[in-house]
Amino acid sequence: MQIKITFLGAARNVTGSRYLIKANGFKFLVDCGLYQERALKYRDWTSFPFPPYDIDAVLLTHAHLDHCGYLPKLVKEGFNNPIYCTGATADITEVMLMDAAHLQMQDAENKKRRHDRDGRRGAHPELPLYTIEDAEACLKHLTPIPYKQTVKLSKGISFTFYDAGHVLGAAMIEVRVEQNGEERILLFSGDIGRQNKPILNDPTIFDTADYVLTESTYGDRSLDPPENMYQKLVDIVNSTVEAGGNIVIPSFALERYQDVLYYLSKALDAKKIKPIQVLLDSPMACDITKIFRRHADLFDEEMKGLLTQRKSPFSFSGLKCMTSIGDSKAINKLKEPSIILAGSGMCNGGRIKYHLISNITRPESTILFVGYQAVDTLGRQITDGAREVRILGQNYPVKAKIVKLNGFSSHADKDELLVWISSLKRPPRQVFVVHGEESAANTYADSIRKTKGWNVTVPNYLDEFELD
Ligand SMILES: [Zn+2]
């Protein structure tokens, strides 16, 4: 067999997922994501290690930017072939890429203004990686394929998407390559979801694969089970409302908002919390929630049951989408306790900053963190226990209650990862552990070796392997 794989990202780090596969004279990428770690962002600016016009297809696992965010640049540089993904991923990718392009244009402009004022030049050009026009041009290549439908890519190469249970539309990809009457199965885990997460199905498990690429984001950590989040959220809402404060939830637009809404609507329905205003202060999250409504066929059985009883978690009394800046500003004048969800999830930009300014100095309010907080972000400073924080150029003492819940994660934890890979009935020829910080990837690789005795590799950036 002659199959080659090159690791162009998410190799001993979390972001920038890009894997290049060459077989039967055909070249394709699995994922084409942006780098988000500060120290690795330069890789988005260096040229691709191959000409993009030479790539025959891209298979996209899901719509998070660290998996799809580099696509407009690939198209801008000459890629002109299909990008296969599920229908829901295509819809969400559109929202994500347009937003990313908009932010990059804004950042480049601000940076230029700052540099002009200070009379200096930075290490990188003050240009966006891509513009809104570039993002639009890329969207034309998205080719939706339903789960479980096998597509022939080229002679002797086919692929099938399976539900990953990570975010709406997310897929694991099984690629089959045939050469001289022999077949190899390559399994790309994409990001693996959690067991018993609301709204979505559990991740698909597989009997057999010759080569597996598995993520390892939480390869060294246990997380709270998702089902514990309900009671914790109920307690936080009740105690904060009793104190007369607001619950401010910095949140990512995709999945986290919808999960929080799911639990809130369940609590309201069961009368575990009193009727309360829930304000969704993010046009992007409102758009994505609409996409959720359009793809109800992808929901798990419990969620489908709620919809047939007309109990949609995405439209309940008290829930409001705040789209204009005027709506957003009006929130701060409200007298009644409210639940406010806004982005960005790590508080380093977006409308959340204004809600933090209005609430972080109030002991009666709660700031509830439901997502990962990277180093160097305002969210990380707050969750690390800073007594005072600087927001939009001014210092504020932290007096609000700060709560962090890790059970809202969309990623499998270390035990769930091991359960997923252990479903394989015979040892794969090789397992590649990717998409994790070095220590998480190594810890997970060791636990597979120890419990299964399988051949496991933690590849480096730009490593190339022959798959025989
Ligand atoms: Zn993801």
Side-chain angles (χ1 to χ4, degrees):
M1 294 295 277
Q2 283 194 318
I3 308 170
K4 264 189 189 161
I5 182 164
T6 315
F7 293 85
L8 302 171
R12 296 186 183 240
N13 74 296
V14 177
T15 69
S17 278
R18 300 170 198 169
Y19 312 110
L20 176 68
I21 295 94
K22 296 182 211 164
N24 303 7
F26 193 84
K27 292 193 195 79
F28 63 98
L29 278 171
V30 171
D31 285 340
C32 192
L34 273 185
Y35 277 95
Q36 291 168 325
E37 289 100 340
R38 218 176 253 251
L40 299 178
K41 274 181 180 237
Y42 73 92
R43 290 185 190 165
D44 287 334
W45 289 97
T46 52
S47 59
F48 242 51
F50 53 82
Y53 57 80
D54 222 19
I55 304 295
D56 299 302
V58 178
L59 309 183
L60 177 58
T61 61
H62 66 288
H64 275 144
L65 284 179
D66 61 320
H67 294 258
C68 74
Y70 199 70
L71 285 168
K73 175 91 166 154
L74 191 78
V75 172
K76 188 179 168 182
E77 303 215 333
F79 173 79
N80 193 22
N81 283 309
I83 300 167
Y84 297 101
C85 59
T86 65
T89 294
D91 289 350
I92 301 169
T93 297
E94 179 175 347
V95 177
M96 303 293 264
L97 292 184
M98 294 305 280
D99 184 68
H102 177 76
L103 284 179
Q104 287 182 41
M105 289 171 75
Q106 227 172 26
D107 282 353
E109 226 171 86
N110 292 342
K111 204 168 166 192
K112 183 160 181 352
R113 210 174 303 134
R114 247 186 358 253
H115 286 172
D116 284 349
R117 190 191 58 207
D118 303 347
R120 65 184 177 93
R121 285 283 160 265
H124 301 298
E126 299 122 342
L127 293 171
L129 198 57
Y130 47 84
T131 61
I132 285 182
E133 290 75 32
D134 297 327
E136 278 168 350
C138 161
L139 298 175
K140 296 191 181 106
H141 294 263
L142 296 178
T143 309
I145 304 289
Y147 286 122
K148 295 185 184 171
Q149 186 176 305
T150 300
V151 174
K152 187 178 168 184
L153 267 182
S154 168
K155 191 172 179 291
I157 308 179
S158 63
F159 75 88
T160 316
F161 291 137
Y162 292 93
D163 200 339
H166 167 62
V167 294
L168 191 76
M172 295 174 174
I173 311 177
E174 187 190 70
V175 175
R176 289 177 184 254
V177 180
E178 233 184 84
Q179 279 170 16
N180 308 321
E182 274 194 80
E183 187 187 59
R184 296 287 180 268
I185 301 174
L186 280 55
L187 179 59
F188 297 87
S189 77
D191 288 358
I192 305 175
R194 306 199 65 193
Q195 308 281 334
N196 302 322
K197 197 175 158 56
I199 305 172
L200 302 178
N201 287 310
D202 285 352
T204 306
I205 52 170
F206 296 81
D207 280 354
T208 177
D210 296 297
Y211 295 94
V212 183
L213 262 79
T214 171
E215 72 126 319
S216 58
T217 315
Y218 291 115
D220 57 354
R221 249 171 294 170
S222 296
L223 300 172
D224 251 1
E227 51 270 34
N228 287 3
M229 294 305 98
Y230 175 60
Q231 192 54 47
K232 290 194 175 171
L233 193 59
V234 165
D235 294 343
I236 290 163
V237 171
N238 285 334
S239 61
T240 310
V241 169
E242 202 171 303
N246 293 318
I247 300 104
V248 176
I249 311 179
S251 178
F252 301 99
L254 173 56
E255 211 60 52
R256 226 50 66 82
Y257 271 87
Q258 293 79 20
D259 290 356
V260 172
L261 293 184
Y262 172 93
Y263 289 124
L264 287 174
S265 78
K266 186 173 164 181
L268 282 163
D269 190 54
K271 300 195 165 47
K272 296 270 183 195
I273 57 176
K274 287 189 189 136
I276 183 168
Q277 288 205 93
V278 180
L279 308 169
L280 215 52
D281 192 18
S282 158
M284 189 171 162
C286 296
D287 286 346
I288 290 178
T289 307
K290 276 184 214 150
I291 296 173
F292 269 65
R293 290 197 197 111
R294 279 212 297 277
H295 291 279
D297 54 314
L298 303 181
F299 296 158
D300 66 8
E301 289 311 314
E302 190 190 356
M303 179 76 177
K304 282 180 182 161
L306 287 176
L307 294 183
T308 47
Q309 295 170 54
R310 299 188 173 279
K311 289 182 182 171
S312 168
F314 308 138
S315 51
F316 53 84
S317 155
L319 175 64
K320 287 197 189 98
C321 253
M322 319 303 269
T323 42
S324 73
I325 293 285
D327 283 350
S328 176
K329 285 186 176 157
I331 293 176
N332 297 327
K333 299 198 181 91
L334 295 172
K335 293 278 175 289
E336 288 290 297
S338 310
I339 299 172
I340 305 160
L341 291 106
S344 74
M346 298 188 201
C347 308
N348 42 348
R351 295 181 181 181
I352 191 69
K353 290 197 168 186
Y354 298 95
H355 301 303
L356 288 175
I357 289 173
S358 311
N359 286 281
I360 206 157
T361 58
R362 296 177 62 192
E364 63 274 27
S365 286
T366 301
I367 318 293
L368 171 60
F369 288 88
V370 292
Y372 177 72
Q373 304 300 313
V375 280
D376 290 337
T377 59
L378 175 58
R380 179 65 167 260
Q381 279 175 34
I382 299 172
T383 51
D384 277 353
R387 293 264 177 89
E388 192 176 79
V389 286
R390 196 168 178 81
I391 311 173
L392 299 174
Q394 219 176 314
N395 288 349
Y396 297 89
V398 179
K399 294 195 175 150
K401 208 167 155 200
I402 307 299
V403 183
K404 204 176 153 209
L405 296 180
N406 69 22
F408 281 97
S409 169
S410 292
H411 288 271
D413 72 0
K414 62 176 191 174
D415 297 328
E416 291 165 323
L417 283 171
L418 210 51
V419 166
W420 181 77
I421 205 152
S422 298
S423 66
L424 295 169
K425 297 222 163 64
R426 62 174 169 82
R429 286 166 181 259
Q430 196 158 8
V431 175
F432 295 100
V433 176
V434 294
H435 197 295
E437 298 294 344
E438 194 147 10
S439 62
N442 281 328
T443 306
Y444 181 43
D446 277 342
S447 65
I448 303 172
R449 288 185 196 109
K450 224 177 277 161
T451 54
K452 315 297 292 184
W454 293 349
N455 184 14
V456 187
T457 305
V458 182
N460 278 298
Y461 178 55
L462 296 182
D463 274 357
E464 186 177 75
F465 291 83
E466 293 262 3
L467 311 182
D468 54 8

